Amino acid sequence: MTTLLLVRHGLTTMTGPLLAGWTPGVHLDERGRAQVAALAGRLAPVPLAAVVSSPLVRCVETAEAVAAGRPGPAGKVETDERLGEVRYGDWTGRPLKELAEEPLWRVVQTHPSAVRFPGEEGEAMADAQHRAVAAVREWNARIAAEHGDDAVYAMCSHGDIIKAVVADALGLHLDQFQRIQADPASLTAIRYTELRPFVVRVNDTGGDVSALLPPPPGEGAAGSSDAAVGGGA
């Protein structure tokens, strides 16, 4: 019954024109630093039990902005390699315009569950989803055990990884995950309960976060795995 805040890293010089993947040393650029500073300011009222990140530097820098000044464990970023970007193999570092001419591109767009990226370091999209969802489930259990069922924590990761986690939470086949969007420095929230996850928001780049605050002690919703009939208030 934890609430997970999925944060995509801010902009880098490679974001958009090139497929960065696991390219080392890709830092946030000036735009990205401004984005994550704004996001950290928005999230400041939300008490976080932990801040977890992909080990790639652009995510660590984003997570550090969110964690800055927070007391306790949330003030120190923990990394988890399972949250790292999809391993795109031989596609890493290449221009997206060039990749769009590859035969595999169409499969990536329409049948990603069948995709394994080329080269010795290439990973299957299904494997990337599996590792990321496994990481989320393990962190959910750890956070709930250490901080209680109403705890909120943040994970900083990458666009395709966030989309894959959201697809799992929505019960969508991986082949539908391209319908989900995760912009740089966006916020996606998923509340995990005993019976089902609830996708609370997706690709939020400027909304109010008061609804993400945990309930006051003793006011947790009974039967919180139930969906509100009519959509709730």
Side-chain angles (χ1 to χ4, degrees):
M1 291 175 60
T2 53
T3 297
L4 167 62
L5 306 184
L6 283 165
V7 173
R8 186 182 172 194
H9 63 81
L11 284 165
T12 75
T13 56
M14 293 184 74
T15 308
L18 302 172
L19 190 63
W22 281 75
T23 303
V26 180
H27 293 266
L28 299 177
D29 63 16
E30 184 176 352
R31 302 166 302 163
R33 290 190 294 272
Q35 285 178 321
V36 302
L39 175 63
R42 279 208 297 138
L43 290 178
V46 182
L48 298 178
V51 179
V52 191
S53 176
S54 154
L56 293 169
V57 66
R58 57 193 184 273
C59 281
V60 173
E61 290 173 342
T62 301
E64 286 175 344
V66 172
R70 291 184 178 271
K76 183 178 180 180
V77 175
E78 299 190 61
T79 60
D80 189 325
E81 185 159 327
R82 295 172 296 178
L83 303 177
E85 181 61 287
V86 179
R87 294 186 181 274
Y88 296 114
D90 293 347
W91 278 27
T92 302
R94 293 176 60 189
L96 291 176
K97 287 184 178 179
E98 180 181 294
L99 293 173
E101 302 300 321
E102 296 276 356
L104 184 62
W105 180 268
R106 184 172 178 81
V107 186
V108 171
Q109 295 298 317
T110 60
H111 191 23
S113 66
V115 168
R116 178 176 292 277
F117 289 95
E120 291 185 4
E121 298 298 321
E123 182 178 29
M125 279 296 315
D127 291 342
Q129 181 187 44
H130 177 76
R131 63 167 162 87
V133 170
V136 167
R137 296 292 183 172
E138 288 182 22
W139 277 98
N140 285 346
R142 172 178 166 181
I143 295 297
E146 295 178 359
H147 301 277
D149 288 341
D150 292 322
V152 181
Y153 73 108
M155 277 185 169
C156 184
S157 190
H158 308 265
D160 278 349
I161 296 297
I162 291 172
K163 289 160 58 178
V165 171
V166 173
D168 172 78
L170 289 170
L172 292 177
H173 194 281
L174 183 59
D175 287 345
Q176 308 302 321
F177 99 126
Q178 298 290 24
R179 302 183 181 198
I180 300 163
Q181 189 157 327
D183 291 332
S186 63
L187 175 66
T188 293
I190 305 171
R191 180 166 62 89
Y192 286 88
T193 74
E194 183 181 9
L195 300 183
R196 64 169 67 93
F198 291 89
V199 178
V200 179
R201 63 180 69 189
V202 177
N203 199 36
D204 166 20
T205 56
D208 177 72
V209 298
S210 58
L212 301 176
L213 296 172
E219 294 186 18
S224 58
S225 290
D226 289 345
V229 176

